């Protein structure tokens, strides 16, 4: 992602739906890598069984840039109902990235995001 061909990735986690600060967590930034592995435990406190059935965890990966804006790499989402309390589960998922949508003939496409498997 950077001019040196490497990235400084980090992951932001959001519990959806919800817009409060308590629904957002962030990993540490790993420097100069294209194959990041985070060995961190991030904990959301106070989630009920009912919320586990209806909430989704959004994981968004970005490249940290100290001199400009952080660059979005991709994201994925996991329905919490696929998880069980105190049980580890591994997922192999492809990140999706937003493809810029050009204006349609005669007007713009509003509120539409297209995704491409990476």
């Amino acid at each position: 992602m950077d001019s040196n061909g490497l990235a400084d990735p980090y992951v932001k986690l959001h519990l959806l739906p919800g817009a409060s600060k308590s629904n957002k967590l962030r990993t540490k930034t790993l420097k100069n890598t294209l194959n990041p592995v985070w060995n961190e435990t991030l904990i959301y406190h106070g989630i009920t069984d009912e919320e586990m059935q209806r909430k989704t965890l959004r994981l968004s990966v970005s490249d940290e840039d100290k001199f400009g804006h952080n660059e979005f790499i991709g994201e994925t989402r996991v329905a919490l109902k696929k998880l069980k309390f105190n049980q580890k589960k591994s997922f192999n998922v492809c990140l999706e990235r937003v493809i810029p949508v050009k204006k349609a003939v005669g007007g713009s496409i509003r509120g539409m995001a297209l995704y491409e498997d990476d």
Side-chain angles (χ1 to χ4, degrees), residues 57-72:
L57 183 63
R58 175 182 175 238
L59 298 109
S60 174
V61 183
S62 294
D63 179 21
E64 187 174 88
D65 189 352
K66 293 200 185 280
F67 303 109
H69 66 282
N70 294 345
E71 187 173 354
F72 175 79

Side-chain angles (χ1 to χ4, degrees), residues 1-11 26 28-38 61-66 69-74 95 118:
M1 299 297 294
D2 292 334
S3 60
N4 65 3
L6 299 173
D8 303 319
Y10 65 93
V11 180
R26 184 189 190 278
K28 293 178 182 173
T29 300
L30 300 181
K31 301 289 185 187
N32 298 318
T33 182
L34 292 178
N35 297 301
V37 176
W38 288 272
V61 183
S62 294
D63 179 21
E64 187 174 88
D65 189 352
K66 293 200 185 280
H69 66 282
N70 294 345
E71 187 173 354
F72 175 79
I73 295 173
L95 293 179
D118 220 16

